[in-house]
Amino acid sequence: MTLLLMAAGRGSRYGKLKQFDELGPNGEFLMEFSMFDAINNGFDHIVVITQKDNVQFLQDHLKTRLPDNIKLDVIVQELTDLPEGTSFSVEREKPWGTAHAVWSAREVIKGPFAVINADDYYGQAAYRNAADFIRSNGENEVYALLGYTLKDTLSIHGSVSRGVCKRDGKRLISVEERTKIEQQSDKITDLDSGLEFDGNELVSMNFWVCRPSIFEQIEGDLRAFMQNEETQKTGEVYLPFVVQAMLQQDKVSVEVIPSDSKWFGVTYADDKDRAVAQLQEMTSGGAYSAPLWAKVPS
């Protein structure tokens, strides 16, 4: 089983590359806790998608920490890595989006894989639930989404983007992106639409369980995306939209699995203190070793 971590973001709201900020009690990156939890639940292949300038640094950093039996691939998300026959003519520095990040790993992933953001903490139970799902579902057409409770994923420092799940029992119907959800006194509101939430809705935090069949879908979506010069300037191809397209085309079914975990992330610089405190609390409570890799996951 593979864990793919998307770490190619530029940290525009955070102020620096938050993926490499030392948040753990002994200077660990937040993504190291995700890797530790995944390995502890049977994942044996780690893939990190990053910027070109960070590849050697990440390889050197992680090789001294990950257990010897864990395969590691550090992949660059390149603007020029596009489907054959496509190109772009606009000036652009920002990557093509989360779906393109996943597509960057198409040569090294051959089996089921979980996808997460490198700058989010998803909780130990989430990886256990993801691993259990992979082990019990061998069909290429069955994906999964680990869902989190909306009220537990907000930031007190500003609005956040969340994908609100519409379900039929366990089956995902759609993910509706709400880009400015904010807690305002006793209300949770999407500032763009004025829509209010009670906080108990399940939302996507970009923790997906996918199959290699997704690479073909992403390639097709990238081809369509690149035909429009306007979208090339600032647009992105988002992973949830790709999965939703596969749902609508009846190519896959997606099971929504409650994560049974607390989530936290570092969207804003002011989120750092809370993340540091929570990692310290969990380490002091015995959930993690100090330093993290002192006790190699079994």
Side-chain angles (χ1 to χ4, degrees), residues 2-5 43 112-116 127 130 134 207-210:
T2 298
L3 176 68
L4 186 155
L5 301 98
F43 286 79
F113 62 101
V115 183
I116 64 168
Y127 295 93
I134 291 174
F207 190 147
W208 298 88
V209 177
C210 302

Side-chain angles (χ1 to χ4, degrees), residues 188-201:
I188 300 174
T189 307
D190 174 35
L191 302 183
D192 281 336
S193 65
L195 188 65
E196 293 186 1
F197 302 95
D198 64 21
N200 294 312
E201 295 84 359

Side-chain angles (χ1 to χ4, degrees), residues 102-289:
V102 171
W103 192 70
S104 301
R106 64 197 179 278
E107 298 297 332
V108 300
I109 295 179
K110 305 303 178 184
F113 62 101
V115 183
I116 64 168
N117 298 327
D119 51 12
D120 289 343
Y121 176 86
Y122 291 94
Q124 295 175 333
Y127 295 93
R128 181 178 65 248
N129 292 344
D132 288 346
F133 173 83
I134 291 174
R135 292 188 184 106
S136 61
N137 289 274
E139 299 179 28
N140 287 332
E141 299 79 21
V142 182
Y143 289 28
L145 170 64
L146 277 292
Y148 290 77
T149 307
L150 174 59
K151 63 186 177 184
D152 296 330
T153 70
L154 303 175
S155 172
I156 62 173
H157 303 296
S159 64
V160 295
S161 297
R162 295 291 178 260
V164 182
C165 300
K166 183 179 179 181
R167 298 177 291 158
D168 180 5
K170 291 183 178 180
R171 187 168 62 92
L172 181 68
I173 302 299
S174 65
V175 178
E176 189 167 4
E177 291 294 323
R178 298 290 177 179
T179 57
K180 283 191 176 181
I181 294 181
E182 189 171 301
Q183 177 87 52
Q184 296 181 324
S185 63
D186 60 341
K187 294 181 180 180
I188 300 174
T189 307
D190 174 35
L191 302 183
D192 281 336
S193 65
L195 188 65
E196 293 186 1
F197 302 95
D198 64 21
N200 294 312
E201 295 84 359
L202 277 188
V203 296
S204 164
M205 301 307 298
N206 244 10
F207 190 147
W208 298 88
V209 177
C210 302
R211 314 281 179 175
S213 56
I214 198 171
F215 297 131
E216 182 179 352
Q217 179 75 28
I218 295 174
E219 181 168 332
D221 288 357
L222 283 170
R223 288 184 183 278
F225 176 88
M226 297 306 296
Q227 290 177 4
N228 188 324
E229 189 171 295
E230 286 303 310
T231 61
Q232 289 181 21
K233 293 178 181 178
T234 59
E236 296 183 39
V237 184
Y238 296 105
L239 181 59
F241 294 170
V242 170
V243 176
Q244 189 149 309
M246 296 179 79
L247 271 175
Q248 292 171 345
Q249 296 164 22
D250 290 327
K251 292 181 177 179
V252 298
S253 62
V254 180
E255 182 175 328
V256 180
I257 305 172
S259 61
D260 297 329
S261 294
K262 277 192 172 184
W263 171 95
F264 63 85
V266 283
T267 303
Y268 298 93
D270 289 339
D271 291 326
K272 177 178 178 176
D273 289 344
R274 178 170 173 259
V276 169
Q278 293 198 47
L279 291 173
Q280 178 63 67
E281 181 181 350
M282 288 185 288
T283 301
S284 299
Y288 296 107
S289 304

Side-chain angles (χ1 to χ4, degrees), residues 88-99:
F88 63 100
S89 56
V90 301
E91 289 190 15
R92 182 183 174 114
E93 293 184 5
K94 192 175 183 181
W96 297 114
T98 52

